[in-house]
Amino acid sequence: MRITLKVWRQKNTQDKGNFKTYKLDNISPDMSFLEMFDVLNEQLVRQGEDPVHFDHDCREGICGMCSLYINGKPHGPKQTTTCQLHMRSFNDGDTITVEPWRATAFPVLKDLVVDRTSFDRVIQAGGYISINTGGVPDANEIPIPKKDADKAMDAAACIGCGACVAACKNASAMLFVSAKISQFSLLPQGQTERKTRAEKMIAQMDSEGFGACTNTGACSAECPKEISLTNIARMNREYFTAKVGSDNV
Amino acid sequence: MKLDSKIPGGPLAEKWSKHKFNVKLVNPANKRKYDIIVVGTGLAGASAAASFGELGYNVKAFCFQDSPRRAHSIAAQGGINAAKNYQNDGDSVFRLFYDTIKGGDYRSREGNVYRLAEVSVDIIDQCVAQGVPFAREYGGLLANRSFGGAQVSRTFYAKGQTGQQLLLGAYSALSRQVSNGKVKLHAREEMIDLVMKDGKAVGIITRNLVTGKIESHSAHAVVLATGGYGNVFFLSTNAMGSNVTAAWRAHKKGALFANPCFTQIHPTCIPVSGDHQSKLTLMSESLRNDGRVWVPKSKEDAEKIRKGELKPTDLPEDKRDYYLEERYPSFGNLVPRDVASRNAKNVCDEGRGVAKTGLAVYLDFADAIKRDSRKVIESKYGNLFDMYQQITGENPYETPMMIYPAVHYTMGGLWVDYNLMTNIPGLYAIGEANFSDHGANRLGASALMQGLADGYFVIPYTIGDYLATLPYEKVSSDDEVFKQAENDIEEKIQKLLSIKGEKTVDDFHKALGHIMWEYCGMSRNEEGLKKAKQEIKKLKEEFWQNVNVIGGNDELNQSLEKANRVADFLELGELMIDDALDRSESCGGHFREESQTEEGEAKRKDDEFSYVSAWEYQGENAEEVLHKEDLVFENVKLTQRSYK
């Protein structure tokens, strides 16, 4: 395959950045999108040019480190992670535009690499159950209906990649935050801190500069792990319940 | 040098309890006076850092990724073992211990393995309390499945994403300590040297991957939880960033490296499709619960399949060779990984492999779908099947999956004693980064178990024994030893940047991987290993004269990151070869062609090789010195492993 790439190049956070065009021949349809970038980078290094920087690690669709906004869609045309996107999803001769995630809360560090530590800070605000190691009850002491455990698992499948934020016109992080809040609100272990968790995580989310949700559902439609929009509804319910009965007046 | 494993005396089942009572304690109010560095935030690192924080220590946690949640533990699919015996099928701590030590082909320590089995039950309790959504039965209790090398169902799982869920559990515990101010997180910061003073570990040097700044961090103790070194093979199931640098630099400062040649080749990976390939993708071993492994009985049929003239689904039953079921009737498709891998290689070597390359065997779910319905199979393995389809473009519900072995896990690592301390006082290694529990072969679902056992339930106790002997005052990061280490590193980086040669870092990495896979992969022999050693030496020399690293140090520079890691892989590769040469027996994942039974199974030589190889660095280009820790078996009888 022959591919033309229009890639966002930006030296660092301060740099304004611009698109650069690269041409690639001999791309195999079996390559993953990132392997196609490996080919480009090998080519650039041989020419003495700085390779295109992008985040990636596991390359099996689970670590959530890869990003890339491809032809106007986070992770490209398929509902999967960029590392699991293959060139067979494109046509010979295509021009492909590649940008970083665009969001105030995800500043660009270099080229296609963005800073997503805002997600970590949201989790630090309350995305946990406050127990210490050891001294916990036997794992089978509290039965959990399979239905609830399965729903919690579906929410917990979030990989924290940030595609939901990139897909949203408001750069809202509601899907990400609601997935964690849902997981714990569905499980008996999460009940004790249920209210404070919702309040704290949402407050942190707002302070990071993520936008509001206008229910267009682009986040869920682009989510590589198909996290459902229902989680946002559940989070709103959790939030209202928490606020109505809040201890933090 | 005398290697003291510090295994406590007394009956096996009492060693750990006794040891816990005997180790020194740090008073709760004094814990805040001690600083601990934890490098790596996978299962072992995150669980250790969180547990230290909970106890009251001050922790600095480092990872090279953008967030601790990315660590490669996240990719483990199948599950985690624990001797809960919830299934009432005869499991016990002793049985898990026995299976693990036998699975490791009797090259691990009894004391360590028993402890691992003992604390395994606590891990499940801990994770459930954290909100890990394990799979459950309709009655609301936890579900289990079986895994290779075991005849009981003791594996807990969360769909095909067990590693992810356990890691997110540990990450949430870590995040809680970050918010409590007990853990300071350093993401995108890579350890590039260990700093020592008066023979003790006193801190590390890191490179900030965004700014390039070289920084000194001092502490009372340093814990390496930096994972394995499978990427020495270039193609492996490891993440792209997984590397040996932290462990290797510690080795160069005096930490012994144990059993480096013990590499696990996982039998169920998606076969290689071409030269562009950057990594290999594993399909969970749990698939072997329901999938049947086969190749055509005749070379001719295999040839037709390779050419696309015959569909596997059209080949009648009597022309298929279900070779694992045939050869190992009692374990069948669930033989341990090393056995399954070697058999796949053998049938492919015979010319009966499938796929265009001839380097693949079938994993067929047709019978399972017929027996249990497609819906049941989908609920068990749905995400794995989707992943397979995404990568290969083939639908595994309709045509059998194709699999081939790939490098997956490294049992070798830094030598540690029962306290998980290396031979350098104050330097610990936990999880895959150490060597201790899996012997020559790791059983499925045991890596998650070991990572969390070390981090949650072993090191929080044992580290106190060392810290209690130290003054509260730590060596300052302004100390001369740190300045010296910083200078050495800057010099090394400048050297890499100044070569400006003709070849890319990946060129060297691929060449190294090729040598390692060819001569130090699934089977090894003296002649090949000797040849490999010469080739690696040449490659290393060329690297330092002809590599091209673009850009400078004071920026985000991924070429430089890679070059730094590949430089260490080149040195490690040579040590792996030395170790494989020394161990002229076969055991577990280490198969020396010179040492096999008449049936072609691995043949151990217990009289000569019942030891842990621990290698001591001697300086640039000098041969390393081998130290031996004899393995003592008081509770199991060493037998030829048989899964027939």
Side-chain angles (χ1 to χ4, degrees):
Chain A
M1 292 169 73
R2 294 161 68 95
I3 296 289
T4 305
L5 283 172
K6 277 178 69 184
V7 183
W8 185 259
R9 302 299 312 253
Q10 183 174 339
K11 271 196 89 59
N12 48 45
T13 311
Q14 289 74 39
D15 184 27
K16 241 182 97 189
N18 61 304
F19 281 105
K20 264 194 116 167
T21 305
Y22 303 100
K23 289 200 183 304
L24 286 174
D25 300 331
N26 283 328
I27 293 299
S28 151
D30 287 332
M31 279 179 191
S32 72
F33 198 81
L34 296 182
E35 284 168 350
M36 182 269 293
F37 259 82
D38 292 342
V39 172
L40 168 68
N41 279 343
E42 284 292 286
Q43 200 172 299
L44 289 175
V45 173
R46 278 179 223 287
Q47 292 160 5
E49 283 179 54
D50 197 19
V52 179
H53 282 58
F54 58 91
D55 266 330
H56 64 115
D57 202 26
C58 78
R59 293 208 180 182
E60 44 190 281
I62 192 73
C63 77
M65 190 138 168
C66 65
S67 49
L68 305 195
Y69 201 68
I70 302 162
N71 285 343
K73 285 186 156 199
H75 296 304
K78 287 257 168 88
Q79 197 174 359
T80 178
T81 57
T82 297
C83 65
Q84 296 298 295
L85 173 68
H86 286 75
M87 294 311 291
R88 65 179 87 94
S89 300
F90 298 90
N91 298 316
D92 190 21
D94 274 1
T95 298
I96 306 172
T97 308
V98 188
E99 297 168 77
W101 282 175
R102 305 271 191 200
T104 312
F106 291 163
V108 173
L109 295 175
K110 181 173 178 177
D111 296 340
L112 306 168
V113 177
V114 299
D115 180 354
R116 283 170 288 194
T117 46
S118 47
F119 268 13
D120 287 323
R121 288 188 293 272
V122 171
I123 298 293
Q124 286 155 17
Y128 43 77
I129 291 167
S130 298
I131 48 133
N132 286 348
T133 304
V136 295
D138 184 87
N140 258 350
E141 190 139 314
I142 311 169
I144 303 176
K146 186 174 185 318
K147 180 168 68 59
D148 294 345
D150 287 350
K151 269 196 225 161
M153 176 63 220
D154 289 343
C158 167
I159 56 173
C161 64
C164 46
V165 176
C168 178
K169 58 183 173 153
N170 305 323
S172 166
M174 295 276 265
L175 194 65
F176 168 75
V177 181
S178 70
K180 194 43 80 182
I181 288 179
S182 286
Q183 178 195 344
F184 290 145
S185 73
L186 286 160
L187 296 172
Q189 288 83 2
Q191 298 310 308
T192 319
E193 298 162 284
R194 191 167 169 179
K195 285 190 199 168
T196 48
R197 179 180 304 114
E199 286 184 277
K200 284 182 181 169
M201 288 181 75
I202 290 172
Q204 186 65 35
M205 172 183 88
D206 290 341
S207 77
E208 292 289 349
F210 292 109
C213 174
T214 43
N215 293 316
T216 50
C219 51
S220 184
E222 297 294 346
C223 172
K225 296 294 151 186
E226 299 174 40
I227 303 295
S228 149
L229 215 52
T230 316
N231 291 304
I232 297 186
R234 188 179 291 109
M235 177 172 86
N236 286 333
R237 197 160 62 235
E238 292 294 313
Y239 184 70
F240 293 134
T241 317
K243 276 294 171 197
V244 168
S246 176
D247 301 328
N248 312 324
V249 196
Chain B
M1 188 184 298
K2 170 113 180 46
L3 291 176
D4 182 2
S5 64
K6 302 204 175 121
I7 304 275
L12 188 60
E14 288 167 26
K15 285 181 195 287
W16 178 230
S17 309
K18 216 170 110 187
H19 190 69
K20 278 194 287 189
F21 181 72
N22 285 332
V23 291
K24 293 181 205 73
L25 296 174
V26 178
N27 173 308
N30 287 339
K31 288 199 174 86
R32 71 175 73 99
K33 296 172 184 163
Y34 290 107
D35 297 350
I36 305 173
I37 283 173
V38 180
V39 187
T41 58
L43 286 182
S47 59
S51 303
F52 290 150
E54 289 162 6
L55 287 170
Y57 295 115
N58 309 309
V59 183
K60 279 185 178 180
F62 295 82
C63 64
F64 68 79
Q65 300 92 339
D66 70 332
S67 161
R69 66 180 293 154
R70 313 283 187 217
H72 199 54
S73 308
I74 205 157
Q77 299 167 349
I80 176 165
N81 287 330
K84 281 284 197 187
N85 193 30
Y86 282 162
Q87 304 305 324
N88 195 30
D89 59 358
D91 200 9
S92 63
V93 168
F94 193 86
R95 188 176 294 280
L96 175 54
F97 153 76
Y98 180 77
D99 286 348
T100 307
I101 212 149
K102 176 186 171 197
D105 220 357
Y106 308 99
R107 290 295 173 262
S108 47
R109 293 182 190 140
E110 280 190 343
N112 283 61
V113 177
Y114 193 87
R115 174 176 67 188
L116 175 67
E118 199 177 334
V119 302
S120 70
V121 294
D122 299 330
I123 297 172
I124 304 304
D125 300 343
Q126 179 66 23
C127 296
V128 166
Q130 285 171 343
V132 170
F134 282 119
R136 287 178 183 267
E137 306 289 356
Y138 283 101
L141 301 185
L142 292 160
N144 289 114
R145 58 185 168 205
S146 54
F147 245 64
Q151 287 176 310
V152 293
S153 287
R154 63 160 75 99
T155 305
F156 295 80
Y157 61 101
K159 278 199 173 164
Q161 289 135 275
T162 318
Q164 179 200 27
Q165 293 311 313
L166 296 178
L167 182 65
L168 293 182
Y171 162 74
S172 70
L174 178 68
S175 297
R176 175 168 162 250
Q177 293 310 310
V178 173
S179 96
N180 288 348
K182 291 309 291 180
V183 175
K184 176 101 180 54
L185 207 57
H186 295 259
R188 291 198 199 266
E189 207 167 325
E190 184 164 29
M191 167 177 164
I192 39 179
D193 213 353
L194 174 74
V195 182
M196 288 170 57
K197 188 167 184 176
D198 304 329
K200 288 180 179 163
V202 295
I204 61 172
I205 305 289
T206 61
R207 179 170 179 272
N208 181 317
L209 300 181
V210 180
T211 62
K213 195 164 177 271
I214 305 296
E215 291 173 23
S216 290
H217 300 273
S218 78
H220 293 89
V222 175
V223 179
L224 301 186
T226 49
Y229 47 85
N231 271 346
V232 68
F233 290 87
F234 185 73
L235 283 182
S236 80
T237 65
N238 284 9
M240 301 302 286
S242 303
N243 67 80
V244 76
T245 292
W248 190 254
R249 305 270 164 113
H251 173 59
K252 289 174 87 166
K253 288 286 170 84
L256 302 178
F257 210 107
N259 298 336
C261 81
F262 287 172
T263 319
Q264 177 161 82
I265 316 271
H266 195 290
T268 48
C269 297
I270 298 176
V272 176
S273 75
D275 291 338
H276 56 267
Q277 196 116 5
S278 60
K279 80 152 271 158
L280 296 171
T281 305
L282 176 112
M283 304 299 295
S284 168
E285 168 168 313
S286 61
L287 292 168
R288 286 197 278 142
N289 270 308
D290 288 299
R292 298 179 70 196
V293 178
W294 65 273
V295 289
K297 272 190 180 150
S298 76
K299 273 202 260 187
E300 293 69 35
D301 287 339
E303 173 106 28
K304 277 190 209 154
I305 288 177
R306 288 198 290 270
K307 285 187 179 152
E309 292 163 8
L310 180 68
K311 278 198 209 153
T313 42
D314 292 340
L315 194 71
E317 282 293 318
D318 62 335
K319 292 193 168 172
R320 300 175 179 193
D321 180 9
Y322 294 91
Y323 57 90
L324 288 179
E325 295 171 17
E326 190 76 21
R327 283 189 76 172
Y328 309 96
S330 67
F331 279 70
N333 293 298
L334 283 174
V335 290
R337 292 175 172 177
D338 54 334
V339 179
S341 293
R342 233 168 3 250
N343 277 282
K345 180 184 187 313
N346 290 345
V347 293
C348 291
D349 287 351
E350 286 163 25
R352 296 193 289 144
V354 293
K356 273 183 206 153
T357 54
L359 293 175
V361 300
Y362 287 124
L363 182 64
D364 199 335
F365 290 86
D367 287 346
I369 291 172
K370 220 188 289 165
R371 183 186 68 223
D372 295 341
S373 84
R374 177 173 164 152
K375 213 176 138 205
V376 169
I377 296 300
E378 212 173 295
S379 73
K380 278 191 188 167
Y381 311 112
N383 63 325
L384 298 172
F385 277 44
D386 292 349
M387 188 166 86
Y388 181 85
Q389 184 160 14
Q390 223 150 47
I391 293 172
T392 61
E394 282 187 9
N395 181 351
Y397 292 104
E398 282 159 16
T399 179
M401 271 185 189
M402 284 188 282
I403 53 166
Y404 198 67
V407 174
H408 176 55
Y409 186 91
T410 49
M411 281 75 69
L414 292 177
W415 183 89
V416 290
D417 63 16
Y418 193 66
N419 291 323
L420 304 181
M421 184 149 84
T422 65
N423 58 308
I424 298 178
L427 179 70
Y428 292 78
I430 58 177
E432 192 179 348
N434 74 26
F435 86 102
S436 66
D437 297 351
H438 306 297
N441 172 56
R442 179 175 65 74
L443 290 182
S446 285
L448 302 183
M449 171 171 71
Q450 187 223 339
L452 290 180
D454 287 0
Y456 283 133
F457 296 109
V458 179
I459 199 165
Y461 294 93
T462 59
I463 204 164
D465 194 47
Y466 172 72
L467 293 175
T469 65
L470 299 182
Y472 301 136
E473 189 80 23
K474 61 175 180 176
V475 176
S476 154
S477 58
D478 295 327
D479 193 280
E480 191 47 39
V481 284
F482 281 95
K483 295 290 151 232
Q484 183 61 44
E486 279 189 26
N487 286 342
D488 292 350
I489 287 303
E490 304 226 16
E491 228 170 76
K492 187 164 183 175
I493 288 175
Q494 284 315 320
K495 194 172 165 196
L496 277 171
L497 289 169
S498 66
I499 299 169
K500 298 262 174 268
E502 301 280 320
K503 286 190 179 174
T504 66
V505 178
D506 276 358
D507 288 338
F508 287 99
H509 198 177
K510 281 181 184 172
L512 173 66
H514 182 76
I515 298 171
M516 295 303 292
W517 181 247
E518 194 62 31
Y519 301 110
C520 198
M522 263 189 285
S523 73
R524 302 148 177 197
N525 63 56
E526 187 178 341
E527 198 194 330
L529 288 165
K530 284 187 169 156
K531 193 169 158 204
K533 187 166 161 107
Q534 292 316 314
E535 288 189 17
I536 291 180
K537 273 184 189 299
K538 260 192 272 169
L539 193 65
K540 192 166 71 182
E541 210 172 293
E542 195 195 344
F543 177 85
W544 285 101
Q545 286 163 3
N546 199 23
V547 72
N548 186 9
V549 185
I550 302 285
N553 178 43
D554 49 358
E555 59 177 332
L556 181 54
N557 185 340
Q558 292 175 336
S559 311
L560 178 60
E561 290 166 28
K562 266 201 271 187
N564 230 330
R565 293 167 189 165
V566 172
D568 292 332
F569 278 136
L570 282 163
E571 297 180 7
L572 166 77
E574 196 183 330
L575 183 64
M576 289 171 71
I577 304 277
D578 287 341
D579 190 42
L581 262 173
D582 168 73
R583 195 173 281 277
S584 64
E585 65 162 349
S586 294
C587 57
H590 170 63
F591 189 75
R592 276 290 296 263
E593 287 162 15
E594 297 92 334
S595 182
Q596 46 184 307
T597 64
E598 275 169 23
E599 292 156 314
E601 303 289 343
K603 190 173 157 200
R604 292 195 322 270
K605 296 180 189 162
D606 293 328
D607 303 344
E608 289 172 70
F609 292 101
S610 267
Y611 60 76
V612 173
S613 310
W615 296 86
E616 187 186 4
Y617 187 75
Q618 301 291 318
E620 292 299 328
N621 297 320
E623 294 293 310
E624 299 214 3
V625 169
L626 173 65
H627 302 277
K628 296 175 182 176
E629 177 202 328
D630 288 324
L631 290 166
V632 185
F633 295 95
E634 292 165 339
N635 299 279
V636 294
K637 206 170 141 262
L638 272 61
T639 54
Q640 178 65 40
R641 244 178 4 150
S642 168
Y643 292 94
K644 290 196 184 266

